[in-house]
Amino acid sequence: MSQLYLVTDSAIAQQAGHTLAYVVEEACRAGVRWVQLREKELSTRAFLDLGLDLKRITQAYGAQLIINDRVDIAMAIDADGVHVGQDDMPCALVRSLIGPDKIIGLSINNLTELEAARDADVDYLGIATIFPTGTKQDTSSLLGLAGLRAICQQTSLPTFAIGGINATNIQSIRQTGALGTAVVSAICGQPSPYEASRELIRLMDDAQVGSVS
């Protein structure tokens, strides 16, 4: 399964002339099997409707649909899981609501947060922020590759790196020990989300082969 993880941004998709459903379907068609619906500005009803649309798409391709923050939406559409940040609902409460069989992802920004989450009942970690990115204006907490590697070395959980990752630097992520890579504009903001996804997956696969040989 491809370990390329698409995190949605409808504003970036619209600027590129796409609907979010189109971006997700093209990405899944190209081989993406992780999709996180992250929409901070939508009303609950609009979020719900969009979630249902994306669930139909992800199910058709056997992809995981993860909902950012909104546990209620995830439960309402029977999504595959929930991704929470440091300021969102505590993981233990999320688990008690969504049950033992759903996926929980947690954002980690430094080693202190990793240590605090040591006993958390989560399935993967999203490690941020690796490189400068237009979707995150505060660059004081950038981890860089060294910071990402340090976190990956201290956890046995699957890790997905995120933040400013694109076709020019995605291969460097493989050398840090991260399982996969999450991207936003590198797919949502491209003229062809399908071709962009295919290229990112190819680059990740090539880096993996290179690290094994």
Side-chain angles (χ1 to χ4, degrees):
M1 177 186 289
S2 165
Q3 300 303 342
L4 182 61
Y5 191 140
L6 169 61
V7 179
T8 70
D9 189 310
S10 58
I12 292 175
Q14 288 169 4
Q15 289 169 6
H18 310 310
T19 66
L20 208 54
Y22 173 79
V23 169
V24 169
E25 178 141 28
E26 290 295 278
C28 288
R29 189 167 69 87
V32 170
R33 292 297 177 262
W34 290 86
V35 176
Q36 182 185 139
L37 178 55
R38 183 174 72 180
E39 296 296 331
K40 301 293 188 181
E41 308 300 328
L42 290 182
S43 68
T44 295
R45 181 57 182 268
F47 202 140
L48 179 67
D49 289 343
L50 182 56
L52 288 169
D53 286 344
L54 298 195
K55 184 185 176 184
R56 285 190 285 270
I57 296 168
T58 53
Q59 276 192 323
Y61 289 92
Q64 307 283 357
L65 177 61
I66 309 297
I67 304 300
N68 180 272
D69 183 19
R70 294 292 299 270
V71 180
D72 56 335
I73 299 293
M75 294 174 67
I77 69 172
D78 193 27
D80 296 293
V82 178
H83 186 95
V84 292
Q86 292 293 314
D87 298 324
D88 295 332
M89 187 181 293
C91 294
L93 183 53
V94 175
R95 178 63 73 196
S96 71
L97 291 170
I98 68 174
D101 299 326
K102 297 295 186 180
I103 299 167
I104 298 180
L106 174 66
S107 292
I108 295 290
N109 303 284
N110 51 57
L111 286 167
T112 301
E113 291 176 357
L114 177 65
E115 186 59 35
R118 187 70 67 185
D119 297 322
D121 184 6
V122 301
D123 299 287
Y124 73 85
L125 302 175
I127 313 299
T129 302
I130 312 307
F131 302 117
T133 169
T135 59
K136 184 177 175 66
Q137 300 304 316
D138 176 19
T139 60
S140 63
S141 60
L142 287 178
L143 287 169
L145 293 173
L148 172 62
R149 183 180 295 108
I151 291 176
C152 290
Q153 289 174 344
Q154 296 295 318
T155 181
S156 60
L157 286 170
T159 50
F160 289 88
I162 187 170
I165 300 169
N166 54 46
T168 67
N169 56 31
I170 194 169
Q171 289 188 313
S172 63
I173 300 299
R174 176 62 63 181
Q175 316 307 321
T176 66
L179 170 71
T181 305
V183 299
V184 184
S185 57
I187 293 178
C188 290
Q190 302 308 304
S192 171
Y194 174 81
E195 293 297 341
S197 300
R198 291 267 293 188
E199 177 65 4
L200 292 170
I201 291 170
R202 183 190 68 78
L203 290 167
M204 290 177 68
D205 288 346
D206 287 352
Q208 184 173 19
V209 171
S211 66
V212 170
S213 59

